[in-house]
Amino acid sequence: ETYYIFCEGKKTEPNYFEGFVRYADPEQVKINCFGLGKETLRILELAQNYIRKNEIKQSHIWLVFDRDDFVAKNFDETIQKVKELDQKRKGGNTYRCAWSNECFELWILLHFSYYQTLFHRDEYIRLLKKIFRKHGFLTYKKQEQDLFEIVLKIGDPHLAVQSAKKLALQQQKKRPSQARPCTYVFELVLELACYLPEEMRARF
């Protein structure tokens, strides 16, 4: 299986998913991760250009992005366009979104407790800094290269998955831009976790 993961952020999301690249069985899966630093619709455009230019076929295409301060219409439109692309399955490719509202840090935070309160993303980061310091780290940094390993060590991936599923169920009748707090990162994580060593895989 081959995955192409196009991330809105240049550091946080790619650093996390690079953990799967490091530990996944290379004989079973190839994971390609890109940090674009662009907004929602632009991410989709760049992903499509890359796929077209490199003639990518029979692969899983994922877009990872946040609601943040982006225009609600663009956020919802990107998710809808990805669904339409997935229905067409051009070149045998699948298309999915691992979106978060408000931010990717919600996914990280769910490794430590279930949160359903509507926080601003600055509050998520403040809480993570407090949690990381509690576990002996200086602070939580968005550019942390070992984010995957740290979260796996001090957090509970299974709790994160179950909490994210619960939030998604609660928010499923709302437009993505209005579904807060919510994250679908768990769907991509569960797919990639299948290729991890057994002991690691069991944590999810």
Side-chain angles (χ1 to χ4, degrees), residues 137-152:
F137 294 91
L138 291 176
T139 188
Y140 166 78
K141 298 183 295 184
K142 290 179 71 68
Q143 66 271 28
E144 180 63 63
Q145 291 188 346
D146 299 327
L147 183 59
F148 177 82
E149 286 85 354
I150 292 172
V151 173
L152 195 65

Side-chain angles (χ1 to χ4, degrees), residues 103-144:
C103 61
F104 184 79
E105 275 74 20
L106 171 61
W107 166 248
I108 303 300
L109 195 59
L110 291 176
H111 285 71
F112 305 97
S113 186
Y114 174 64
Y115 290 88
Q116 59 180 340
T117 305
L118 181 56
F119 291 137
H120 185 272
R121 57 186 177 277
D122 290 344
E123 180 65 10
Y124 291 133
I125 293 173
R126 188 191 70 79
L127 288 169
L128 283 172
K129 286 181 177 180
K130 183 178 179 181
I131 291 169
F132 273 47
R133 286 195 295 267
K134 178 183 176 182
H135 287 277
F137 294 91
L138 291 176
T139 188
Y140 166 78
K141 298 183 295 184
K142 290 179 71 68
Q143 66 271 28
E144 180 63 63

Side-chain angles (χ1 to χ4, degrees), residues 8-204:
E8 167 202 326
K10 285 187 175 181
K11 294 291 184 180
T12 310
E13 297 96 326
N15 284 347
Y16 176 78
F17 287 109
E18 282 293 337
F20 289 95
V21 177
R22 288 191 287 274
Y23 297 103
D25 185 348
E27 294 186 2
Q28 290 189 327
V29 66
K30 182 177 181 182
I31 304 169
N32 307 275
C33 192
F34 306 91
L36 302 178
K38 303 293 182 180
E39 58 90 21
T40 49
L41 285 171
R42 182 68 173 142
I43 296 170
L44 178 56
E45 180 184 344
L46 290 174
Q48 287 182 288
N49 288 343
Y50 183 92
I51 293 161
R52 187 164 46 247
K53 179 180 178 181
N54 294 279
E55 300 181 350
I56 305 298
K57 299 182 185 300
Q58 304 297 324
S59 297
H60 303 289
I61 315 301
W62 281 83
L63 271 62
V64 181
F65 56 89
D66 300 341
R67 171 69 170 87
D68 286 342
D69 290 326
F70 294 128
V71 177
K73 178 178 179 292
N74 290 351
F75 187 76
D76 294 334
E77 186 178 336
T78 301
I79 294 168
Q80 182 57 39
K81 284 187 174 182
V82 170
K83 288 180 180 179
E84 292 170 0
L85 284 170
D86 188 58
Q87 290 172 354
K88 294 177 181 177
R89 296 291 171 96
K90 186 176 181 180
N93 294 320
T94 64
Y95 291 81
R96 301 287 299 281
C97 288
W99 58 265
S100 299
N101 191 354
E102 285 198 15
C103 61
F104 184 79
E105 275 74 20
L106 171 61
W107 166 248
I108 303 300
L109 195 59
L110 291 176
H111 285 71
F112 305 97
S113 186
Y114 174 64
Y115 290 88
Q116 59 180 340
T117 305
L118 181 56
F119 291 137
H120 185 272
R121 57 186 177 277
D122 290 344
E123 180 65 10
Y124 291 133
I125 293 173
R126 188 191 70 79
L127 288 169
L128 283 172
K129 286 181 177 180
K130 183 178 179 181
I131 291 169
F132 273 47
R133 286 195 295 267
K134 178 183 176 182
H135 287 277
F137 294 91
L138 291 176
T139 188
Y140 166 78
K141 298 183 295 184
K142 290 179 71 68
Q143 66 271 28
E144 180 63 63
Q145 291 188 346
D146 299 327
L147 183 59
F148 177 82
E149 286 85 354
I150 292 172
V151 173
L152 195 65
K153 179 181 179 180
I154 68 175
D156 184 346
H158 180 72
L159 173 63
V161 168
Q162 297 308 311
S163 297
K165 285 181 176 180
K166 190 174 179 180
L167 288 176
L169 187 62
Q170 290 176 351
Q171 303 287 352
Q172 64 180 342
K173 294 183 179 180
K174 298 179 182 178
R175 294 195 307 276
S177 61
Q178 301 300 316
R180 299 170 60 202
C182 192
T183 178
Y184 278 86
V185 171
F186 74 91
E187 292 186 336
L188 173 55
V189 165
L190 284 177
E191 286 195 19
L192 299 180
C194 293
Y195 305 103
L196 294 174
E198 185 177 352
E199 183 177 335
M200 238 181 227
R201 186 169 66 244
R203 297 284 311 282
F204 291 85

